Amino acid sequence: MLLWVGLLVGTSALAQKATNPIIFADVPDMAMIRVGKTYYMSSTTMHLSPGLPIMKSTDLVNWKLVSYAYDTLATVDAMNLTNGQSTYGRGSWASSLRFHNGTYYATTFAQTTGRTHIYATKNIEKGPWKAVSFKPSFHDHSLFFDDDGRVYMVYGAGKLRIVELNADVSGVKPGTERVLIENASEPSGTGRGLPAEGSQLLKVNGKYYLFNITWPQGGMRTVVIHRADQLAGPWEGRIGLQDLGVAQGGLIDTPDGRWFSYLFRDFGGVGRIPYLVPVTWKDGWPVLGVDGKVPQTLDLPASTGLIPGIVASDEFTRKKGDPTLPLVWQWNHNPDNALWSVSERKGFLRLKTGRTDTSFVTARNTLTQRTIGPQCTGSTRLDVSKLIDGDFAGLSLLQKQYGLVGVKQTGGTRAIVMVSAASGKAVEMQRVPLSVSVVYLKAECDFRDRKDTGRFFYSLDGKTWTAIGEPIKMPYTIPHFMGYRFGLFNYATQTPGGYADFDYFQISDKLTSSK
């Protein structure tokens, strides 16, 4: 009896602690700050719109989306999916997040624009954000305000450089660019492989600390830390962590004086997922992990789940004052705002077609949100009564090797189809005739043990589900550079002018159709 009580107490104690990964979803390239008792975190969302998400937490574990630094990065063909151009895997990359003299700064850079972008606000949760940008695009930069009021950016890969910015961060002070560290990869022995990048510069107790990620050839992703007594150097470096490939991030402290390092791990189809490791200090160096390892549990509150803070269901009903779209949603590239609505038919998302497209990945106005691990299900109820010939509407798992389940209309008749791009080309795997105008669609993701498998289903009553097509493998591919995302889509291949109405999108952290 005593043993049983002890086991229960032990299990309960474990349940009250946070576990790694902190967020089992695609939240890469994090930057983090603490203001008082509140933590804020930014991340990468590349080609998606809106972008540069801001998340909030009071315990480092439970996060919720509160803002985006920009609505659209730029209005160019590549961001708009026009004139045959796209910017998959590009757009805006690793951000930097700072709080200085009452102003929040979120910065990023983009190959798509060739510029460095800086967004500033007094209210990080409500905005508005003031945007400035300048050339060039400073790769993986870290914005840094020094104690003397001067402001810098550290950037680059392998050979890291520093440049001073104007006091109002509107541009670069001419003639201030110089090499900061000649070969930042050296501590990890990187001859070939990923050179040191992902800079995060901070100052603790008068010393400067610079975090980078390297990936030595034949090895794993590695945290490299440099420190110096003065910004000009000299800098000394060492390996900060080499375990499970958990790397790239920086340091954060708690109000009660504890330290953690926030990092992420490549985890297949779900994407790059955040981890926390405890930090102690020894001889002026941050020591990451427990005996050099990433712990499974942390002395932090347990997660309450990623729903609804990171992903969420949506009934598409809006009350006065509600946002048109909750923050969990992002468009695949810039949307055409004339061709979607949540007000034309109350309680529905309407996706209208305004042009013809040749493929799903070139179509505009696909509305997406993250998949989550270790498993998840997304489902929708779709009214296809206003499709016209050549239209295709439905539910997707979006990445380069995507899968779709939806309704195609051809010659006045409709069919439920499942399409797989697992081979690199879109192939229709199964077609089922459809004689009604409302259908239920479902996609399941299984990321357990790196299965990275997606399955698709349909239903005519929302209760009895039938598998369609074949399961897809969901590899993480560099061309898209993000984890798989659920997407609601509708595009025309023959004539614009049709539309599809989505009654809801429901997300679950379970596989609801599988035994």
Side-chain angles (χ1 to χ4, degrees):
M1 182 65 179
L2 286 175
L3 176 62
W4 176 243
V5 171
L7 285 171
L8 282 175
V9 170
T11 303
S12 175
L14 182 65
Q16 297 307 309
K17 288 193 172 186
T19 58
N20 273 315
I22 293 298
I23 301 175
F24 208 143
D26 192 55
V27 183
D29 306 329
M30 307 95 72
M32 197 180 293
I33 57 172
R34 177 175 63 82
V35 179
K37 295 183 179 180
T38 303
Y39 305 94
Y40 294 102
M41 176 169 66
S42 62
S43 179
T44 294
T45 50
M46 300 185 191
H47 48 274
L48 302 178
S49 174
L52 215 173
I54 306 295
M55 286 154 267
K56 173 186 178 181
S57 176
T58 56
D59 59 14
L60 283 175
V61 176
N62 294 285
W63 295 86
K64 67 175 182 177
L65 284 154
V66 293
S67 181
Y68 289 96
Y70 65 80
D71 219 22
T72 55
L73 176 70
T75 303
V76 295
D77 284 344
M79 286 298 300
N80 290 344
L81 282 173
T82 50
N83 292 322
Q85 296 192 43
S86 70
T87 193
Y88 286 107
R90 297 188 297 276
S92 66
W93 280 10
S95 59
S96 185
L97 187 62
R98 293 288 183 259
F99 180 66
H100 178 70
N101 286 347
T103 298
Y104 295 88
Y105 298 87
T107 74
T108 187
F109 66 103
Q111 295 177 12
T112 307
T113 62
R115 303 178 76 86
T116 297
H117 299 261
I118 300 181
Y119 303 91
T121 185
K122 295 289 186 181
N123 188 330
I124 194 170
E125 297 185 34
K126 295 182 180 179
W129 293 84
K130 178 185 176 183
V132 298
S133 68
F134 50 82
K135 291 185 175 182
S137 174
F138 287 132
H139 177 81
D140 275 14
H141 65 252
S142 180
L143 181 67
F144 181 73
F145 293 91
D146 210 345
D147 296 336
D148 60 4
R150 297 168 76 178
V151 56
Y152 301 90
M153 274 187 173
V154 176
Y155 65 97
K159 180 184 288 189
L160 301 182
R161 300 176 182 271
I162 189 169
V163 67
E164 187 172 354
L165 303 185
N166 301 328
D168 61 359
V169 301
S170 61
V172 174
K173 278 190 176 182
T176 61
E177 180 185 334
R178 61 180 177 82
V179 174
L180 186 70
I181 301 175
E182 185 66 35
N183 181 13
S185 311
E186 190 174 12
S188 65
T190 306
R192 297 171 64 186
L194 178 74
E197 61 177 20
S199 292
Q200 296 272 6
L201 178 63
L202 66 155
K203 196 172 187 179
V204 181
N205 294 330
K207 286 185 183 289
Y208 298 88
Y209 296 88
L210 181 62
F211 275 60
N212 290 97
I213 181 176
T214 71
W215 194 349
Q217 189 174 33
M220 70 174 71
R221 292 182 181 268
T222 301
V223 179
V224 169
I225 305 172
H226 287 81
R227 75 171 185 183
D229 291 324
Q230 298 183 26
L231 195 53
W235 290 84
E236 54 180 330
R238 61 167 57 176
I239 289 177
L241 183 70
Q242 200 168 50
D243 184 42
L244 302 177
V246 173
Q248 188 163 340
L251 292 177
I252 193 77
D253 67 339
T254 65
D256 60 4
R258 292 180 295 158
W259 288 85
F260 292 88
S261 182
Y262 56 90
L263 306 161
F264 72 79
R265 181 184 186 188
D266 290 58
F267 210 79
V270 75
R272 296 179 288 169
I273 59 180
Y275 278 66
L276 284 176
V277 298
V279 171
T280 54
W281 291 85
K282 184 177 181 181
D283 301 326
W285 284 96
V287 179
L288 276 57
V290 178
D291 298 324
K293 300 294 183 183
V294 176
Q296 182 183 359
T297 60
L298 297 156
D299 189 18
L300 290 167
S303 172
T304 57
L306 304 185
I307 305 171
I310 303 298
V311 297
S313 299
D314 192 345
E315 297 293 325
F316 299 120
T317 55
R318 302 290 183 260
K319 298 174 185 174
K320 188 176 181 180
D322 284 350
T324 310
L325 287 176
L327 294 171
V328 293
W329 291 112
Q330 288 173 287
W331 298 100
N332 178 31
H333 290 65
N334 293 347
D336 182 337
N337 289 319
L339 296 175
W340 69 273
S341 172
V342 291
S343 60
E344 287 186 17
R345 182 180 179 185
K346 289 189 176 181
F348 287 80
L349 167 71
R350 176 164 291 176
L351 296 181
K352 300 179 279 189
T353 62
R355 70 180 193 188
T356 59
D357 284 285
T358 57
S359 76
F360 165 64
V361 290
T362 64
R364 291 186 81 172
N365 286 19
T366 294
L367 187 61
T368 79
Q369 59 174 291
R370 294 169 178 84
T371 58
I372 59 174
Q375 56 195 19
C376 61
T377 299
S379 59
T380 188
R381 179 179 180 268
L382 174 62
D383 183 339
V384 295
S385 59
K386 299 301 181 180
L387 296 189
I388 59 179
D389 282 357
D391 287 359
F392 186 18
L395 174 66
S396 68
L397 290 173
L398 171 60
Q399 232 269 7
K400 182 174 183 288
Q401 294 174 226
Y402 59 82
L404 312 171
V405 61
V407 176
K408 282 185 177 180
Q409 179 161 322
T410 309
T413 63
R414 302 186 190 111
I416 306 167
V417 297
M418 184 267 163
V419 173
S420 170
S423 66
K425 294 182 179 180
V427 178
E428 189 176 300
M429 308 304 291
Q430 187 178 352
R431 173 179 288 251
V432 178
L434 181 66
S435 59
V436 295
S437 59
V438 173
V439 64
Y440 299 79
L441 306 172
K442 181 176 291 187
E444 291 185 344
C445 302
D446 191 348
F447 301 112
R448 294 172 297 179
D449 302 318
R450 304 272 184 123
K451 286 180 183 177
D452 291 356
T453 301
R455 301 171 68 204
F456 295 90
F457 303 83
Y458 72 92
S459 172
L460 300 181
D461 60 7
K463 299 174 183 176
T464 303
W465 293 92
T466 302
I468 185 170
E470 296 179 1
I472 62 167
K473 287 297 292 181
M474 298 194 293
Y476 186 96
T477 71
I478 296 301
H480 279 218
F481 222 150
M482 66 173 54
Y484 275 75
R485 294 179 75 93
F486 291 113
L488 304 178
F489 70 91
N490 178 35
Y491 67 95
T493 63
Q494 294 180 23
T495 308
Y499 60 85
D501 286 342
F502 296 83
D503 191 4
Y504 57 74
F505 174 79
Q506 293 176 349
I507 189 167
S508 166
D509 58 4
K510 298 176 177 59
L511 302 183
T512 59
S513 297
S514 302
K515 300 297 183 185

